[in-house]
Amino acid sequence: MSLKRTLTALPTLLRVGFSESLAYRAEMFIWVLSTTMPFVNMALWSAVAGGGEVGGYDRVKFVAYFLCTFIVRQLTGAWAAWQMNFEVRTGTMTMRLLRPLHPVVAYAMENLAATPLKVVVSLPVVAIVLLTVGREALAHDWLMWAVWPLAMIGSWLITFLANVCIGTLSLYMEQSLKLMDLWLAAFVVFSGYVVPVSLFPETLRAVVDWLPFRYQIGLPVELMTGVLGREAAVRLLVQQWLWVGVLMVLGHVLWQRGLKRFGAYGG
Amino acid sequence: MISVHGLRKYYQVHRREPGLKAALRSVFSRPSSLVKAVDGIDFDIRPGERVGFLGPNGAGKTTTLKVLSGLLYPSEGEVRVDGHVPQRREAEFLEKIMLVMGQKQQLLWDLPPAETFELNRAIYEVPLAQYRQTMRELDELLELGELVTKPTRQLSLGERMKCELAAALIHRPRVLFMDEPTIGLDVSMQVTLRQFIKRYNEQTGATLLLTSHYMDDVTALCPRVIVIDKGHLSYDGDLNALVQRVRPEKRVVFHLSTPVEAAALVGLGKVVSHEPGTAVLQVDQGAVNATISRALATLPVRDLTVENAPLEEVMSELFSRSRAAAAAGASA
């Protein structure tokens, strides 16, 4: 499918996707409610820290970390794996395949089109961050904020492409959501969603650096909270984008092979 | 426009007996078998032709349409649609075709159809002026009116199908594959859609390959039919010739002014049905005139018509003949 066609269609895809997300605003709100785990973790770790510190985090830093976690999770979420599984099982994937636009691009736009609504949800939390912890608990280095958008894009891409890879497996096995559950379990443990990665033991942290999960949450949050040095930030950013590349290639290969095996059942 | 040679499509299908024991056994070993959905078929369709693709359930019709529209990779054989190899799914190919499935929808469920139309306009890069003209034509032909601004979920099945057709035709496809487009629709809506499809074909010269279990669809739209059964082609040719070949006898329908006894029909022909006001007889083509003359002399005939056997019966007989031939071949 040509890049020109894709770019021409993007504004309409985003506009229609946004209309859809408005139509599903109740579901969206429930999804937001289901992603409030960072608040639980915030309360837990604040209590653990008490008046002291845990691994360099005091109560204020924990509050800042988990509020930022909530924001990053909101803005980088994706659900393509569920969409793809549903559409393969019900046969509606066939309608996407008939259009001269790569279905993965369409999924990406539909997922991204919900961002304005998620921003609306996240903005009050940003205000709360600033009011409760003040600017002191956030990064002071301009470089961290300069690369933060790049890290957010990388974070979304890893989340979305992992969804695509796992969703594409439904072309092979008709149902691949159990694999998504496995991915999510690993995500919760290794991404920094529950525990800041810097609190992991040294050896485990080295392993986590080579896994994709910390680049979904940990890296953008650590950039926001200023716990990384410049060298580490750039190194982790490079590793994050390496994962983006790996998942892009993997997704492409899985998709091409999956189409050959696709049974187009249902109808 | 469409050429299919030696097309085969096989599926590996896993099988499992019902029950807990079978469920546990299937964890370690899953027996599977090869299903030959399409087993070596050949046909060619010229540009602008309207062809009915007929067969019983599981014959391989939908599988063939899905191969032709690039959704499925063929297991063997060569398929070309307007010079394209469908499974490559090139944009130029996808711009030329559309598959309309009566049981599947492309309309966005919670948004008005107008949003899907806009989306398709953008994806197919339809110039705005052409889009507006096409929409005007579709609106006039399908009487879309305010349907396009109501959420899809609130439309009736017939209204939805009209909008599905409109969404499918915004880019003016040159090849139209239609899989049961009138399924579930009431009779008047079926007629509307048939008329629309015929007009679209006549106005644009688009090629049409249609599957339907409603023989009225086929009779109204398709001068040529291709019949497939168990993955094999059993007929390809003129619809009337098929009827003549399978059921050369004619049906003479007598409308009677007063009821007659069954005995009064004996000797006139094979009685297909007999009710107080009508009698339907099946007679050889050569005996039609003589039968009518005798009936007019002996029965209180108010009116009469001479018809072919209904296409449903023709197809049913064709399928049972081809199955009997297959069974005989297997036992030989």
Side-chain angles (χ1 to χ4, degrees):
Chain A
M1 313 295 162
S2 79
L3 183 64
K4 179 183 157 284
R5 177 194 301 274
T6 305
L7 291 175
T8 310
L10 282 190
T12 312
L13 285 167
L14 284 169
R15 188 185 59 70
V16 172
F18 180 65
S19 301
E20 267 200 301
S21 65
L22 279 179
Y24 294 120
R25 56 195 177 276
E27 284 91 334
M28 181 71 71
F29 182 66
I30 290 166
W31 183 77
V32 169
L33 288 181
S34 71
T35 57
T36 49
M37 197 172 165
F39 298 121
V40 177
N41 295 327
M42 182 175 73
L44 192 74
W45 283 103
S46 297
V48 170
E53 278 192 0
V54 179
Y57 280 86
D58 60 13
R59 202 185 61 79
V60 171
K61 281 184 177 168
F62 272 127
V63 170
Y65 182 91
F66 285 110
L67 288 177
C68 291
T69 299
F70 176 79
I71 293 166
V72 171
R73 179 88 169 111
Q74 283 303 312
L75 298 181
T76 61
W79 51 90
W82 285 270
Q83 275 180 293
M84 293 170 87
N85 269 272
F86 176 78
E87 292 182 3
V88 167
R89 286 178 77 80
T90 57
T92 41
M93 174 68 90
T94 56
M95 301 316 293
R96 281 191 193 269
L97 289 169
L98 288 170
R99 290 174 169 157
L101 179 84
H102 201 299
V104 172
V105 174
Y107 287 125
M109 291 308 112
E110 283 166 29
N111 280 224
L112 280 176
T115 305
L117 275 190
K118 293 195 275 184
V119 167
V120 169
V121 173
S122 303
L123 276 178
V125 182
V126 173
I128 292 167
V129 172
L130 292 172
L131 284 174
T132 53
V133 300
R135 273 196 46 78
E136 287 310 301
L138 299 177
H140 295 294
D141 186 346
W142 64 269
L143 183 73
M144 300 300 151
W145 291 107
V147 297
W148 181 73
L150 211 55
M152 287 294 280
I153 295 169
S155 163
W156 180 81
L157 278 171
I158 289 176
T159 307
F160 175 73
L161 290 170
N163 266 264
V164 167
C165 290
I166 292 170
T168 300
L169 291 176
S170 62
L171 299 174
Y172 300 73
M173 56 177 79
E174 291 169 52
Q175 172 66 280
S176 63
L177 283 180
K178 288 294 165 202
L179 288 172
M180 198 65 210
D181 290 344
L182 277 179
W183 174 279
L184 285 176
F187 163 83
V188 166
V189 176
F190 298 120
S191 67
Y193 192 53
V194 177
V195 185
V197 174
S198 57
L199 296 189
F200 284 13
E202 192 84 24
T203 46
L204 183 59
R205 209 185 313 156
V207 174
V208 168
D209 278 359
W210 287 104
L211 296 175
F213 309 106
R214 79 163 295 176
Y215 305 108
Q216 291 183 266
I217 296 286
L219 175 62
V221 170
E222 286 160 359
L223 290 172
M224 290 169 87
T225 51
V227 297
L228 294 173
R230 284 188 161 197
E231 191 192 330
V234 172
R235 178 176 56 81
L236 290 172
L237 198 66
V238 169
Q239 282 178 230
Q240 181 192 45
W241 279 85
L242 278 176
W243 267 111
V244 172
V246 167
L247 289 170
M248 268 187 180
V249 172
L250 182 64
H252 177 73
V253 171
L254 286 173
W255 179 261
Q256 291 301 327
R257 293 189 174 190
L259 280 185
K260 290 182 186 170
R261 298 178 58 143
F262 182 42
Y265 300 115
Chain B
M1 176 59 83
I2 298 173
S3 72
V4 174
H5 295 288
L7 173 63
R8 288 185 163 81
K9 179 64 189 174
Y10 300 157
Y11 293 104
Q12 200 74 34
V13 177
H14 295 288
R15 303 195 184 279
R16 207 202 83 187
E17 298 294 319
L20 182 63
K21 204 172 152 188
L24 289 172
R25 201 183 308 127
S26 73
V27 174
F28 303 100
S29 150
R30 285 205 302 170
S32 65
S33 60
L34 196 67
V35 172
K36 296 178 176 179
V38 178
D39 197 14
I41 63 171
D42 304 84
F43 60 85
D44 289 282
I45 296 176
R46 291 185 304 278
E49 261 196 292
R50 294 193 307 266
V51 180
F53 198 41
L54 308 179
N57 288 330
K61 306 183 298 288
T62 303
T63 299
T64 306
L65 288 193
K66 284 178 177 172
V67 170
L68 288 173
S69 49
L71 294 172
L72 292 177
Y73 273 65
S75 305
E76 277 179 43
E78 204 174 296
V79 177
R80 290 272 191 286
V81 176
D82 201 18
H84 298 273
V85 177
Q87 70 265 27
R88 287 188 192 148
R89 301 187 58 254
E90 297 152 335
E92 295 75 23
F93 164 72
L94 294 172
E95 277 174 0
K96 289 178 184 172
I97 65 137
M98 182 43 80
L99 169 64
V100 178
M101 292 190 275
Q103 303 191 71
K104 288 280 162 290
Q105 63 169 51
Q106 65 162 317
L107 296 173
L108 298 161
W109 185 247
D110 286 296
L111 299 181
E115 295 280 23
T116 308
F117 300 163
E118 270 291 324
L119 192 65
N120 282 2
R121 182 184 81 76
I123 290 172
Y124 287 98
E125 295 182 303
V126 180
L128 198 58
Q130 184 192 318
Y131 170 71
R132 285 185 178 144
Q133 192 197 331
T134 306
M135 282 315 300
R136 265 197 306 274
E137 289 168 12
L138 291 171
D139 186 19
E140 186 193 326
L141 289 169
L142 289 167
E143 297 174 5
L144 298 174
E146 291 182 357
L147 297 182
V148 299
T149 53
K150 279 163 73 175
T152 302
R153 63 172 186 273
Q154 290 176 2
L155 300 177
S156 70
L157 181 62
E159 291 171 337
R160 219 158 59 220
M161 201 57 218
K162 280 186 187 182
C163 295
E164 278 292 336
L165 263 182
L169 301 179
I170 280 169
H171 64 291
R172 298 188 184 174
R174 291 165 60 184
V175 183
L176 208 48
F177 302 114
M178 307 195 98
D179 189 17
E180 309 275 0
T182 57
I183 195 163
L185 302 182
D186 65 43
V187 176
S188 71
M189 191 60 73
Q190 286 179 27
V191 171
T192 304
L193 287 194
R194 273 178 218 135
Q195 287 171 343
F196 171 75
I197 293 164
K198 196 169 181 183
R199 273 183 72 175
Y200 181 80
N201 160 265
E202 286 166 353
Q203 285 179 357
T204 64
T207 308
L208 172 71
L209 185 57
L210 166 100
T211 80
S212 181
H213 286 296
Y214 297 134
M215 290 303 127
D216 288 345
D217 287 351
V218 180
T219 315
L221 287 170
C222 306
R224 174 184 166 194
V225 291
I226 295 172
V227 183
I228 183 173
D229 192 10
K230 301 265 184 210
H232 297 279
L233 218 66
S234 57
Y235 180 82
D236 181 357
D238 185 74
L239 177 61
N240 291 325
L242 173 69
V243 176
Q244 291 302 315
R245 195 178 89 175
V246 179
R247 277 288 178 87
E249 304 89 357
K250 292 284 180 186
R251 295 280 170 93
V252 188
V253 182
F254 295 104
H255 298 277
L256 307 169
S257 53
T258 52
V260 296
E261 293 295 322
L265 303 174
V266 174
L268 288 173
K270 185 183 170 191
V271 179
V272 177
S273 70
H274 178 206
E275 288 168 25
T278 52
V280 182
L281 303 178
Q282 184 171 299
V283 294
D284 289 338
Q285 276 192 49
V288 170
N289 288 344
T291 301
I292 291 174
S293 301
R294 281 170 57 203
L296 289 174
T298 57
L299 299 175
V301 177
R302 180 167 49 83
D303 195 6
L304 67 88
T305 52
V306 181
E307 301 167 356
N308 284 321
L311 197 52
E312 284 84 354
E313 282 184 27
V314 174
M315 299 312 299
S316 172
E317 185 157 335
L318 182 69
F319 298 150
S320 41
R321 278 188 203 175
S322 62
R323 275 170 196 178
S331 62

